[in-house]
Amino acid sequence: MCGIALIVSGIRIDLSTLVPDSPSSLPLIPLGFASKFSLDDLKSALRQRGPDSLGSKKVRLIVRSSQGNFPIEEANQEEDLVISVLERSGEFGEQEYSTCLRNFAREEVTTTTESFKLGKDGHCSDGELQFIGATLQLRGRSRVMQPFLDSSGNVLVFNGEIFGGIEVAHDDNDSEVLLQTLVNCCSCHSNGHLNECSASGEDQNSVLEVLSLIKGPWAIIYWQENSRTLWFGRDAFGRRSLLVHWPDEVDSRFLLSSVSPFSSADQSSGIKCLVVFYSSRSSVYLLLPSYVSFAASAISYHTVRLPVQSSVSRQAHNVLSVLRKSVMLRTSQNDIFQVMADDSTQEDCTPIAVLFSGGLDSMILAALLDQSIDPNYGVDLLNVSFDGQSAPDRISAKAGVEELKRIAPSRRWKLVEIDADLSKLTMEMKHVMELIYPANTYMDLNIGTALWLAASGDGWTCACTRGFSDENQRVKYKSQARIVLVGSGADEQCAGYGRHRTKYRCGSWIGLHEEMKLDMQRIWKRNMGRDDRIIADNGKEARFPFLDEDVIKTLLEIPLWEVANLDEPSGVGDKKILREVARLLGLQEASILPKRAIQFGSRIARESNRKNFGSNRAANQASAGSVVID
């Protein structure tokens, strides 16, 4: 999809059980108060993502006393306004009404107390929920606009893709299907209803049970009208960003957003910025039972069993099978091509791009993409360099294209060379800093800048018949692909990082397993939210085939010593299972390439070190990657 946001104002929320060390009572910001950032700021940040549509709806919470009347019919005439009436008997003064602010990515269920002030006319000052939805439509034949509202007053904004778990027809929009499914949910686990499901035996699921079924990336904000419950959260691996601002003394509003409003991302301004909502994969498992079984079996499987001889090829065939399915689901299960076909001929159409270094992961994705889409479509291979034709990633990308041409000669492979000069990117890097926030280290900035430029697809491509032997034969080109395949998750699951080798040497298989487990538990915090915000800013949607639920499950079921053998040298033992997959695809040269992170392969890290620390040596001594940017 594209992006979602919510502003809750005019309501006092008790955070004492939601956020540690938070006061239970904060002063209210009245509706219409000029805050540091506004609804328009959030809309502007979401509009930067290039949506096909952007909309908003308000849910106004009104406590109506038996002593007075409120002109509901008159209020409902306001465009995009939904009235939720909370009946209450009582005298004038402070009244409390218990609703539920529910984050399903936490272990505990928390009922919040919302305080309203009843006036002499018998109704309270308004509480308001402002939903914003930006849609980059990639599925469904009919145009849709978020937020979605049904006849019962339920409101949904959804940023994600449903690739399984809930049935979505080929020509349906998955967000509309999700709302129809949620509408049929019971109110269990909401607003303090923690007992056994009252709809037991009636084939009715709870909201949590429905969300636990989804396979694919997602972030959601959902107002369940019949239980007065606000549900919000994202998938266990954070493949779609969702930031939160808890009410505080500076701003008593509650905010959720896919991206921080740019006006709030300056820490020196004194504004309370949106911060990452801290949860973990382990706590999500407590509420999403579909993850539990394979997560638990994987731990015992990897740490108890001793290495034995087995057929790596058999395991590699299994991984290849689920990876192929993962790529196909992310590229051919919807009408993504129809949007581009309206404006271009089939021969010119390149609806999907690959973030491409020519390394092992991106070569596997490119080869599988070739097997998944119509042979008439082209594929853009996006490659960024801060050292022209000399950057390691540019060299391997060129070699990779030649290898892809050998295994798929009829495919129109287009290497898009995105050249950058760090000294000329002052404004761009400031913008990237706003996007990656709350990440704030030089490593985050380097990775974010390289990803942002690569995802833009704005570079040069070859006008000659073969190769790039003459730079004068290059022509300016900007990729129009709306989907970008990214190799995130391969290193974490297949022991691709240098620290994995260190942990193995110090702690054998158990030490390696614990480090890889930690990587997957924190991937949402260290990588995925940041990368989603960066890539989406270019009007493209990132898709991560290596983080498909079935791919993860399959890799966890394979003994760790068949996934990687770190007794063997780099380029052989690390990501052993994926190197075997590459050979099965005919990618012999790619199968022996060593791991190289984007900040090093593109050489932005070298240029950044020279600029900010004087030299690579000084940067290494200062541990530049983890240094927080002032």
Side-chain angles (χ1 to χ4, degrees), residues 579-598:
R579 297 184 187 281
E580 183 69 17
V581 168
R583 286 191 284 273
L584 291 173
L585 289 167
L587 303 172
Q588 301 298 325
E589 295 175 18
S591 70
I592 59 174
L593 291 176
K595 157 71 181 175
R596 195 166 46 232
I598 188 172

Side-chain angles (χ1 to χ4, degrees), residues 452-485:
W452 186 78
L453 289 168
S456 73
D458 193 358
W460 301 82
T461 191
C462 183
C464 54
T465 304
R466 287 183 64 84
F468 286 94
S469 57
D470 185 354
E471 283 200 39
N472 294 326
Q473 294 179 301
R474 297 195 309 169
V475 295
K476 195 67 178 167
Y477 177 80
K478 184 174 176 63
S479 174
Q480 299 301 311
R482 289 155 65 94
I483 291 174
V484 180
L485 298 186

